[in-house]
Amino acid sequence: MSGHSSWPEWIYVGVVIALMVWVGAEAWEAERLVDHVPEDAEVIKVTGQQWFWSFEHEDGTKEIGELHVETGKAYKFEIQSKDVNHSFNIHDYVVLMDAVPGRINTVWFAPTEVGQHDIQCREYCGLIHYNMRGTLYVEEPSS
């Protein structure tokens, strides 16, 4: 290595290999958690279109521009677009997924605290893109 250390080079190589194995294992675990949606997650259909978001809950309830969910539950978003590419984003929960015509992309999250959060489109989708916003309302469980 630098020649200024009294440690043999194989120790440095071993440390680098161990670090790479650890980083790889952590990345694999993170990917596994993201990809494995809890079995009891409620499905919410999310549709992007110029220039708003609409949401449909499993029970058929529909919302436009706002989404109401409860703490302590997992939600799986099935995201699609009716027209052009959009990107569904809830910044506070690190939720970001493309909405593409003809394709359903999925992402999930489980809110833990009551609050209000911005929903936005993170993909330039046309003239009024700046107005493609919504609000997520995280509420206490109703029952």
Side-chain angles (χ1 to χ4, degrees):
M1 291 263 157
S2 69
H4 298 318
S5 173
S6 60
W7 290 16
E9 188 171 323
W10 66 267
I11 289 178
Y12 291 106
V13 172
V15 168
V16 168
I17 290 171
L19 182 60
M20 290 173 60
V21 167
W22 178 76
V23 168
E26 288 296 311
W28 179 82
E29 177 67 9
E31 184 176 346
R32 187 187 68 77
L33 289 173
V34 169
D35 287 343
H36 287 79
V37 180
E39 289 184 24
D40 63 345
E42 178 184 323
V43 175
I44 298 176
K45 294 179 182 177
V46 178
T47 303
Q49 64 187 62
Q50 294 175 314
W51 283 274
F52 62 92
W53 295 105
S54 60
F55 308 94
E56 184 176 346
H57 296 263
E58 284 182 347
D59 67 2
T61 302
K62 295 180 182 180
E63 299 183 84
I64 296 176
E66 58 183 48
L67 175 61
H68 292 80
V69 297
E70 298 177 351
T71 59
K73 292 184 179 180
Y75 296 90
K76 175 183 174 185
F77 296 124
E78 293 183 346
I79 303 167
Q80 61 183 342
S81 171
K82 282 192 174 182
D83 43 36
V84 300
N85 290 351
H86 299 282
S87 189
F88 180 70
N89 179 234
I90 306 171
H91 177 79
D92 293 343
Y93 281 101
V94 195
V95 171
L96 179 63
M97 183 57 65
D98 290 339
V100 179
R103 176 192 287 168
I104 296 176
N105 291 326
T106 62
V107 66
W108 71 277
F109 87 126
T112 56
E113 295 180 16
V114 171
Q116 183 176 324
H117 308 275
D118 292 332
I119 297 171
Q120 59 187 0
C121 179
R122 294 289 298 241
E123 178 78 29
Y124 180 73
C125 57
L127 276 176
I128 310 177
H129 163 73
Y130 67 88
N131 201 35
M132 192 166 172
R133 300 182 167 272
T135 305
L136 170 70
Y137 295 96
V138 180
E139 303 164 339
E140 291 288 342
S142 57
S143 53

